[in-house]
Amino acid sequence: MTTPRPLIYAANWKMHHGPGAARGFLTRFLDLTRPVEGRSLWFFPPAVSLAAACEAMVGRNDISVGAQNVHWEPKGAFTGELSLPLVTEVGARLALVGHSERRHLFGETNEQVGRKVAAALKAGVTPLVCVGETLAEREAGRTENVVVRQVDAIVERVPAAEWHRVVIAYEPVWAIGTGKNATPDDAAQVHHLIRFELSRRGVEQRVPILYGGSVNQGNVLGLLAREELDGVLVGGASLDADGWAELVGLGG
Ligand code: PEP
C-alpha cells in the first residue's frame, strides 16, 4: 500500500467565531472527523478565540491552532498587536503571516512579512506565509515578479537551513473571497515557479506550498489532483463545521 501524500487543510476564520462559537465548532468537527495519516488540519481563529480553540482540540495530534497575525517584537509598546510569546502561551503553534488582507488593507510590507517569518521561526512557531498577486498585477503580466519579490523578502531574513519549518500559501488576491478560484493549472504553474526560485536561492528543502482562494467542496479535488499543491488555505468554506468536515474528508 502506498503512503498517502501529506496534505495540509488550513482554515482561516478571519473575524468570525468568538470563543463560544469556536468551542461549538470544534466540538462538532471533532465528532465528525478522525485523524487520517498524512493529513494535517490547521485552524486560524480570531485572537480572542485562540485559547478556546487550543483547549477544544486537546487530544487530536492532527489538529494545530495558529494566530492570524503576530508582531515580530517579543514585547513592547505596540498597542493592538500580539506577540509570539503571547500566542504560544495559550497554545498556538502556527502563525499566518502576510495574508493579503493584512498586506492590502493594513499596509503590511514585504519587509515586515520577512521580519514576522523570522521571528516566528525563532519562537518555535511554524509560519504559514501568504504570497500572491492582485488582479491588476496579473493582467499586467507581473505575477512572477510580484510573487518572487514576496518570496525574496523571506529569503533575505531566513537562512536556508531554517526553510524546512516554513510553509507557503499561494493566494492570488483576485481569488480570495470572490468565488473565482485559480484553475488547477494556474495554481500549479505558480507553485512550480516558487519552488524553482527557492531552489535557485539554495533553499533545497521541500517547502509545502498550499493554494488559497475560493476553495470549496466543488473544486478542492480538482486542485489537489495537481501534485504541486500540498494543501489548501480556506476562508469562507471553513466557517461551517459540517461543511469543513466534509471538505477535508473528500481527499480520503
Ligand atoms: C483566505 O482567507 O485566505 C481565503 C482563501 O478566503 P476564501 O477561501 O474565502 O477565498
Side-chain angles (χ1 to χ4, degrees):
M1 214 169 80
T2 52
T3 317
R5 118 178 179 260
L7 286 176
I8 299 169
Y9 292 83
N12 175 17
W13 286 352
K14 311 193 189 203
M15 212 160 68
H16 302 280
H17 295 337
R23 243 179 254 114
F25 180 113
L26 283 164
T27 304
R28 171 89 183 139
F29 183 80
L30 263 52
D31 268 356
L32 294 170
T33 59
R34 292 286 166 269
V36 170
E37 192 186 347
R39 184 182 75 180
S40 303
L41 303 171
W42 291 4
F43 287 92
F44 294 92
V48 291
S49 304
L50 273 174
C54 290
E55 281 156 23
M57 61 85 185
V58 163
R60 279 287 292 265
N61 292 337
D62 57 325
I63 300 184
S64 305
V65 173
Q68 291 178 12
N69 180 35
V70 285
H71 197 275
W72 56 85
E73 291 293 343
K75 62 181 174 185
F78 300 102
T79 302
E81 292 290 323
L82 273 184
S83 71
L84 284 146
L86 289 174
V87 300
T88 52
E89 188 179 333
V90 295
R93 296 289 169 262
L94 314 163
L96 201 53
V97 181
H99 188 277
S100 73
E101 285 149 21
R102 302 286 332 154
R103 291 179 187 264
H104 296 286
L105 300 176
F106 300 101
E108 202 162 288
T109 63
N110 282 343
E111 200 247 338
Q112 291 171 335
V113 171
R115 279 173 183 255
K116 290 179 180 197
V117 175
L121 291 170
K122 198 169 160 206
V125 165
T126 300
L128 172 52
V129 201
C130 303
V131 298
E133 80 288 0
T134 63
L135 185 59
E137 289 162 344
R138 171 161 281 254
E139 287 176 348
R142 296 188 52 234
T143 299
E144 291 195 8
N145 178 277
V146 168
V147 170
V148 169
R149 278 190 16 232
Q150 290 170 336
V151 170
D152 271 343
I154 308 160
V155 173
E156 272 171 33
R157 295 199 176 255
V158 175
E162 291 290 312
W163 271 82
H164 64 283
R165 296 167 51 215
V166 176
V167 180
I168 292 179
Y170 168 56
E171 296 210 303
V173 181
W174 48 270
I176 299 179
T178 58
K180 196 177 154 196
N181 63 290
T183 65
D185 281 352
D186 284 342
Q189 197 182 352
V190 179
H191 285 222
H192 182 77
L193 166 82
I194 294 171
R195 223 175 270 299
F196 175 74
E197 294 295 332
L198 283 176
S199 74
R200 282 206 322 147
R201 285 155 181 75
V203 178
E204 303 294 346
Q205 293 94 352
R206 210 186 121 60
V207 176
I209 307 177
L210 317 186
Y211 165 76
S214 295
V215 174
N216 58 36
Q217 286 102 329
N219 58 27
V220 68
L221 285 183
L223 287 159
L224 290 178
R226 298 300 306 248
E227 64 176 20
E228 290 87 347
L229 276 66
D230 300 301
V232 286
L233 172 56
V234 183
S238 74
L239 290 176
D240 169 68
D242 290 57
W244 186 234
E246 189 189 328
L247 191 154
V248 305
L250 287 173

